[in-house]
Amino acid sequence: MKVLVIGRDSGIAGAVAARVRDAGGTVVLAGRNQDEHVDLTDESSVAALAERIGSVDHVVSTASARARGTVADLDRDAVRASFDVKVIGPILLARHFAPRMPRDGSFVFFSGASARKVMPGMLAVGATNAAVDAVTRSLAVELAPIRVNAISPGTVDTGAYDGLGAEKKAALFASREATSPAGRVGQAPEIADAVFFALTNSFMTGISLGVDGGEVLV
């Protein structure tokens, strides 16, 4: 199978690419800083990527632009960027890649636990992720029989939290480890396994699959 993976070549995107290759699949890795360039906020960039790489069996987008902060602190442009990348971006991917897919192809997008659990400072992130869930369900109906699913991870140890600084990142992880039923944060390969399941389970569509260590339960 040929899989387009959008995101950084480290973290979850890198783990997904490795998981697909280990199964004998072919991976095209694309992103703003990849050899295959794409900017999900620019439809012409998405269209150009589709023209360059042609047909694919599956598309996975791990791209995000987080807008953390309370309602008093949120930056309007950051909120727009969050929706542009994680909500509008997948819609554009569906528009330009679905016609190049076989009937048994699929899309996998990324939501997040904040769509299901309210946490202070995660207003825009939660709203974005909830919108991803809605887009996933709608596209699963509209694009059928092409399947569309989302992965909804909890706190995962990737570079996504490096922007907090070492001290704040360590405090966040310690807090999540103390309250999560799993007793720890997730690792990128665990999320990649869930993505591969979504890619290969031909009877699953319209689902947002929680892989969160039970984080949303407490």
Side-chain angles (χ1 to χ4, degrees):
M1 62 178 170
K2 181 179 178 181
V3 183
L4 169 64
V5 180
I6 297 172
R8 296 179 297 115
D9 57 4
S10 59
I12 291 174
V16 170
R19 182 68 179 82
V20 171
R21 291 186 183 115
D22 286 346
T26 300
V27 175
V28 178
L29 194 58
R32 287 186 173 180
N33 299 309
Q34 303 295 347
D35 290 339
E36 282 294 349
H37 175 80
V38 68
D39 179 354
L40 295 186
T41 69
D42 179 357
E43 183 166 7
S44 65
S45 178
V46 176
L49 178 67
E51 288 289 334
R52 288 198 306 274
I53 68 175
S55 63
V56 294
D57 297 304
H58 307 279
V59 174
V60 179
S61 179
T62 70
S64 65
R66 292 172 182 82
R68 296 189 181 97
T70 63
V71 66
D73 300 323
L74 279 172
D75 178 78
R76 179 184 179 90
D77 290 340
V79 175
R80 283 181 167 175
S82 181
F83 271 80
D84 262 349
V85 173
K86 287 195 76 171
V87 182
I88 300 175
I91 292 172
L92 297 179
L93 288 169
R95 175 182 292 173
H96 291 283
F97 280 94
R100 302 169 184 275
M101 280 184 173
R103 288 171 59 84
D104 60 351
S106 75
F107 292 90
V108 177
F109 302 129
F110 267 71
S111 174
S114 58
R116 293 167 288 135
K117 180 178 181 178
V118 175
M119 292 175 278
M122 299 291 279
L123 167 62
V125 178
T128 301
N129 288 333
V132 174
D133 292 342
V135 166
T136 296
R137 292 192 298 270
S138 294
L139 287 176
V141 173
E142 187 169 330
L143 299 182
I146 291 173
R147 297 178 298 106
V148 184
N149 292 293
I151 303 300
S152 183
T155 306
V156 180
D157 188 4
T158 70
Y161 294 93
D162 290 350
L164 296 174
E167 186 175 338
K168 288 185 178 179
K169 177 181 175 179
L172 173 65
F173 282 11
S175 173
R176 298 289 163 80
E177 289 168 355
T179 59
S180 168
R184 62 180 178 85
V185 300
Q187 300 296 320
E190 295 171 317
I191 308 304
D193 284 344
V195 171
F196 192 77
F197 172 71
L199 293 177
T200 56
N201 188 313
S202 61
F203 201 54
M204 186 172 81
T205 193
I207 295 298
S208 183
L209 182 62
V211 189
D212 54 31
E215 186 176 307
V216 301
L217 303 176
V218 294

